Amino acid sequence: MERLAARWLWFVEHWPRAAVFAPFVPLLLSWWAVAEIEIFPPAFFPHPLEVLRRGVELAYKGVLGAYLEDSVLRLAVGAAAGIAVGLPLGLLVGLSDRAHRTLWPLLLFFQAIGDIAWLPILLVWFGFGLTTMTFVIVYTVMFPVLMNTALGVRAVPEVLPRAALSLGASRARVILEVVVPGALPNIVTGIRNGLGFGWRALVAAEIIVGTSGIGFMMFDARRAGSVTEVVIGLVVLGVLWSIVDSWILAPLERATGERWGLVAR
Amino acid sequence: MKELLVERLSKIYFDPDRGERIAALEEVSLRIAPGEFVAVVGPSGCGKSTLLNLIAGFLEPTSGRILLDGRPVRGPGPDRGVVFQSYALFPWKTVLENVAFGPRMRGLPKAECHAKAMRYLELVGLAHVAHRYPRELSGGMQQRVGVVRALANEPEILLMDEPFAAVDAQTRMTLQEELARIYEERRPTILFVTHDVNEAVFLADRVLLLSKGRLREEIPVPIARPRRWPRLVEDDDFKALVARTLSAVRAA
Amino acid sequence: MTASAEPVRAHRRARTGAIVQAALPFVLLLLLWQGLVAGLQVSPLVFPSLSAVVRAAGQGLRDGSLFLHLGASLARVAIGTAIALLLAVPLGMAMGVSRAVAAFFTPLLRFFSVLAGIAWIPIATLWFGYGFGAIVFVIFNAVFFVVAYNTLLGVATIPVELRRAAASLGARRWSMVREVLLPGALPNIVTGIRTGLGFAWRALIAAEMIATSTGLGYMLFLARDFYRTEVIVLGMVLVGCTWLALDRLLLAPLERRTIERWGVVRGA
């Protein structure tokens, strides 16, 4: 046991990339074993081979690709809009004491209402469709971006804008060259959180009001009682989001924070 | 280089928790001649940083005037270069970009700004770290960058707020000598705030003693330049002046 | 007036001022709402007037349906969260104690914590049917993986010097857990709870919309069928206020206090 642990640690240190995937092997094997001996009926607990076969089939037919494209596109458009609205507003709220005092409690409240609670009234206003879904994602992404940006702006040490001003920078240049870069680690954190909540909101919206997308596929399959496609959806979502989060967002967050040495402080 | 005139400057705070008025600075007047090196000493909380922040334009005075070359001071500006205790280097800019920041804000072409910044970095022997980021440098090196960043912008007066308080004792002496050398070569006008009496006497032509928001005493320092530590630690005039200033600080 | 009364009074004045300042935006918002709906003659099918929402709240309070829905939602969150915490904290600690075990479980927990919450609704309703079981499972799932992952992270990043110090002072396995590992990981655990509950609360509202016949989510979604916008808005306000109360009055102070109290352990 001890030697096994030592070998595994050696592996983790020398092949860190592979070591991330290695733990999934026993997980998949136990899934296989549990499905093989049919502890649970196959209608509730699909066999991994069946999931793979059906997944390949759906991908081959183009259904999976089309649904995935729908979901990713909705998220990308909604997130871009959410960032475009949230970032400038966050700068405003962070820079102006008066705006911060009056708007912060309102922001907290509207963030607390949360994306999904908006669905019913959005359905009344816009019906089932793209507008409703886009609104939900924009709303979800906007708040974390806005609030983290404001926090970041307020966390920039007072001496930095002072230094820039006494070196002759105009207000606009101070914002551009000092406030935004100073707040950037927080802005990235806000984008990461916003996207994390955003894709969940997207899945919920697709489940509840959707006509396409991965969430719709899962719920449609659930209505038909087809557990295989539900699991395919779960796996696709998990893999997709893990890639986005651990290969793009988390490194970006670390890079901005560490390189500028703002995290240590 | 222009003359700095401070007339009956006061800064009164209102403490809402205690409901009292607190005078950080009361009726302070002073004049700094072009090319003069003036140090302000006093215990912490005596108002010396408030004085510097008022002159820098970071704070608004409650009453009184600050005139630079006859013009009243309004807000921070490039005519008054500031060196901060915490260095205040922009962590996302390289050393070179930090030093080139001031010239760039005046709209000079980028190549010219960088060449100028390089010349100033050579002045303190830091040309070799021009492309590093501030956090990769030691505290002493960071503050050297802070000093030349202010100098490279060619301000009319240099305001230094306990600039060497955060570095170790050995480095502090080196930095003090370096500043003395730069001053002796270029004669900028400097207002230097510190709580270290040795430092004030070593660097300045004149030491002002501030206590409880008021100017208490003015001590001229008629010690010949160039000033270097190995000579001054043996110098009886220097020791006598330090002793006199120290007892004045304690009495105040 | 005595000399000491003045500062106290000033202090009290400052605090009242802060409360007024926080409430003012809301008062303005309510006035704006009432003014716009009345002034533009907005149809109640599109957006309700303030008075209609207040009437709906009164009605809900009188017939007790408000308490029923709110209670159902809170009970599901409480049960799901409690089960998740009881399992996640010990498991996370156990995984974090050995470096080899931690390195094995980190990617797994990370994967599932990234997936936690809403995406499990379809399979949860398949496994447990529509109703209590499915919803509690989704909440459990949202909290469990995030908390376990954060606990593991917390234990794994306790400085080695601290463990060595405790060991050389004679701490055995159990006292090591109680005196060093648990307090050391506590800030991470609490942060995990806050994040996990954030996911869980949203998942709850979503799940209640499709998988049950009580709860705030159901109340919202049912009102939509009848175009009762005043009930929808009432539900949204309730969802917001409940989460705000939970987060601001319970979780945020808890997080702040543990970080203030135990954060020193990190050597930060």
Side-chain angles (χ1 to χ4, degrees):
Chain A
M1 200 62 205
E2 205 115 300
R3 284 185 53 190
L4 189 69
R7 264 194 208 158
W8 162 241
L9 272 180
W10 180 89
F11 180 65
V12 170
E13 261 153 40
H14 289 81
W15 306 89
R17 294 251 154 176
V20 169
F21 295 104
F24 289 91
V25 175
L27 182 76
L28 288 174
L29 287 178
S30 29
W31 177 10
W32 191 311
V34 170
E36 194 69 40
I37 54 179
E38 296 198 6
I39 297 177
F40 305 107
F44 287 100
F45 199 86
H47 198 284
L49 276 186
E50 173 62 17
V51 170
L52 188 67
R53 195 191 57 75
R54 185 80 182 121
V56 170
E57 192 179 294
L58 282 179
Y60 190 71
K61 275 201 219 153
V63 181
L64 202 58
Y67 278 171
L68 196 60
E69 196 185 314
D70 279 351
S71 293
V72 170
L73 209 63
R74 279 175 197 146
L75 185 61
V77 170
I83 293 168
V85 178
L87 213 142
L89 277 179
L91 283 178
L92 177 79
V93 173
L95 283 170
S96 150
D97 270 337
R98 177 172 296 173
H100 188 262
R101 269 201 310 272
T102 43
L103 290 180
W104 198 252
L106 283 179
L107 288 172
L108 280 178
F109 177 74
F110 278 99
Q111 188 193 29
I113 290 180
D115 36 69
I116 291 145
W118 278 88
L119 272 179
I121 196 129
L122 290 174
L123 287 173
V124 170
W125 290 344
F126 306 119
F128 288 79
L130 197 61
T131 319
T132 299
M133 235 180 275
T134 310
F135 187 101
V136 168
I137 297 166
V138 172
Y139 189 91
T140 315
V141 175
M142 185 185 88
F143 278 100
V145 172
L146 196 166
M147 297 176 99
N148 274 288
T149 304
L151 278 178
V153 168
R154 294 176 79 80
V156 174
E158 200 181 17
V159 290
L160 291 183
R162 280 182 173 183
L165 283 173
S166 54
L167 287 166
S170 61
R171 297 260 157 202
R173 290 305 278 272
V174 171
I175 292 173
L176 208 67
E177 307 238 5
V178 179
V179 174
V180 171
L184 201 60
N186 290 70
I187 295 174
V188 174
T189 302
I191 291 175
R192 189 181 171 199
N193 291 348
L195 284 174
F197 281 113
W199 81 261
R200 287 178 167 84
L202 174 74
V203 170
E206 284 178 350
I207 286 176
I208 296 168
V209 308
T211 48
S212 69
I214 296 292
F216 169 75
M217 180 188 91
M218 288 165 75
F219 204 62
D220 201 38
R222 188 258 166 270
R223 251 182 250 137
S226 153
V227 70
T228 314
E229 277 146 51
V230 176
V231 172
I232 292 171
L234 262 180
V235 172
V236 167
L237 283 178
V239 169
L240 183 71
W241 197 251
S242 291
I243 290 172
V244 173
D245 192 59
S246 35
W247 291 2
I248 302 174
L249 297 177
L252 198 65
E253 192 178 12
R254 253 197 319 274
T256 47
E258 266 168 25
R259 191 171 64 114
W260 298 344
L262 294 171
V263 170
R265 239 164 268 166
Chain B
M1 295 291 168
K2 312 287 163 53
E3 162 190 86
L4 177 83
L5 207 61
V6 171
E7 286 178 347
R8 307 187 61 179
L9 198 63
S10 296
K11 179 71 185 174
I12 317 286
Y13 288 103
F14 183 74
D15 185 341
D17 283 341
R18 297 213 229 145
E20 3 180 278
R21 286 155 42 92
I22 295 161
L25 213 60
E26 238 178 330
E27 302 274 324
V28 168
S29 298
L30 56 93
R31 178 183 172 278
I32 300 177
E36 197 183 10
F37 196 138
V38 174
V40 176
V41 293
S44 52
C46 71
K48 56 190 192 300
S49 285
T50 308
L51 175 65
L52 188 130
N53 283 334
L54 284 167
I55 297 173
F58 301 147
L59 300 176
E60 289 270 342
T62 311
S63 64
R65 296 201 300 169
I66 303 163
L67 299 170
L68 186 58
D69 190 30
R71 285 171 285 110
V73 157
R74 260 188 212 94
D79 49 350
R80 286 147 290 140
V82 183
V83 180
F84 298 85
Q85 182 180 348
S86 56
Y87 321 142
L89 301 179
F90 306 122
W92 47 85
K93 292 184 187 293
T94 62
V95 166
L96 187 71
E97 288 166 345
N98 263 285
V99 180
F101 187 86
R104 220 159 51 75
M105 289 303 117
R106 276 187 282 142
L108 295 181
K110 199 166 190 174
E112 205 174 306
C113 295
H114 281 188
K116 184 173 203 168
M118 216 52 189
R119 278 202 308 281
Y120 274 92
L121 283 171
E122 275 159 16
L123 185 70
V124 286
L126 282 181
H128 63 290
V129 294
H131 298 288
R132 299 254 196 97
Y133 283 90
R135 69 172 179 89
E136 301 172 293
L137 271 50
S138 68
M141 285 162 104
Q142 288 192 41
Q143 194 54 302
R144 281 193 185 93
V145 177
V147 172
V148 292
R149 181 176 71 174
L151 277 176
N153 208 27
E154 291 164 358
E156 285 162 17
I157 183 168
L158 208 54
L159 308 172
M160 306 182 79
D161 186 5
E162 306 208 25
F164 308 143
V167 298
D168 65 88
Q170 207 61 46
T171 312
R172 191 179 310 144
M173 292 173 86
T174 318
L175 288 174
Q176 287 160 354
E177 286 191 327
E178 216 160 76
L179 181 62
R181 180 175 59 77
I182 292 173
Y183 175 74
E184 284 147 16
E185 282 169 15
R186 314 178 148 242
R187 296 280 162 177
T189 315
I190 300 181
L191 176 68
F192 191 102
V193 161
T194 178
H195 63 260
D196 180 345
V197 169
N198 271 301
E199 181 171 76
V201 175
F202 175 81
L203 287 169
D205 302 322
R206 197 147 56 96
V207 176
L208 303 178
L209 171 58
L210 201 64
S211 163
K212 292 176 192 131
R214 286 178 177 276
L215 220 44
R216 303 288 165 173
E217 210 173 331
E218 178 182 323
I219 301 159
V221 185
I223 296 174
R225 294 181 187 272
R227 295 181 188 167
R228 299 291 178 267
W229 277 116
R231 182 170 70 74
L232 287 201
V233 284
E234 309 274 303
D235 188 298
D236 288 331
D237 288 346
F238 177 76
K239 285 193 235 169
L241 265 172
V242 169
R244 193 191 139 197
T245 316
L246 207 54
S247 64
V249 169
R250 290 200 168 159
Chain C
M1 188 195 299
T2 59
S4 63
E6 169 64 23
V8 174
R9 226 165 267 179
H11 184 78
R12 206 169 286 158
R13 217 171 23 239
R15 228 177 44 200
T16 330
I19 293 170
V20 168
Q21 216 158 39
L24 196 63
F26 289 98
V27 175
L28 287 176
L29 189 74
L30 293 178
L31 287 176
L32 188 74
W33 173 8
Q34 186 67 349
L36 276 182
V37 169
L40 299 176
Q41 306 216 303
V42 177
S43 156
L45 292 181
V46 173
F47 205 81
S49 66
L50 180 57
S51 44
V53 173
V54 172
R55 268 199 308 278
Q59 167 100 44
L61 285 174
R62 268 195 307 279
D63 66 18
S65 60
L66 226 51
F67 297 112
L68 176 77
H69 292 309
L70 185 63
S73 292
L74 286 177
R76 287 167 188 147
V77 169
I79 293 170
T81 306
I83 301 173
L85 288 186
L86 283 177
L87 291 174
V89 174
L91 276 176
M93 303 262 312
M95 292 172 195
V97 169
S98 144
R99 230 157 59 77
V101 182
F104 182 83
F105 280 104
T106 304
L108 289 178
L109 285 179
R110 200 184 146 106
F111 177 82
F112 282 102
S113 70
V114 148
L115 191 59
I118 285 166
W120 289 80
I121 292 175
I123 203 157
T125 56
L126 201 79
W127 284 345
F128 298 96
Y130 289 103
F132 185 77
I135 296 175
V136 169
F137 174 79
V138 169
I139 290 168
F140 163 82
N141 165 294
V143 177
F144 174 82
F145 287 109
V146 177
V147 172
Y149 177 60
N150 275 282
T151 308
L152 168 58
L153 220 60
V155 173
T157 51
I158 290 173
V160 185
E161 292 90 345
L162 273 186
R163 290 199 205 184
R164 287 189 183 149
S168 69
L169 289 169
R172 297 286 168 83
R173 203 159 265 270
W174 175 237
S175 44
M176 178 77 100
V177 168
R178 212 185 44 212
E179 306 289 339
V180 181
L181 300 185
L182 189 60
L186 210 53
N188 283 64
I189 296 176
V190 175
T191 303
I193 294 174
R194 202 174 168 204
T195 315
L197 264 181
F199 290 143
W201 182 251
R202 284 146 203 260
L204 170 81
I205 303 299
E208 284 178 344
M209 284 187 186
I210 50 176
T212 180
S213 55
T214 50
L216 292 173
Y218 172 76
M219 175 180 141
L220 275 165
F221 215 61
L222 184 72
R224 187 201 66 89
D225 284 343
F226 302 102
Y227 287 85
R228 295 275 308 269
T229 54
E230 74 278 12
V231 179
I232 298 182
V233 170
L234 176 66
M236 289 168 71
V237 171
L238 269 180
V239 167
C241 289
T242 312
W243 175 248
L244 215 53
L246 216 60
D247 189 57
R248 292 282 134 183
L249 301 180
L250 191 71
L251 299 177
L254 192 67
E255 187 176 19
R256 207 164 43 239
R257 237 173 266 164
T258 42
I259 287 174
E260 263 163 26
R261 169 115 194 254
W262 304 112
V264 210
V265 179
R266 289 258 155 282

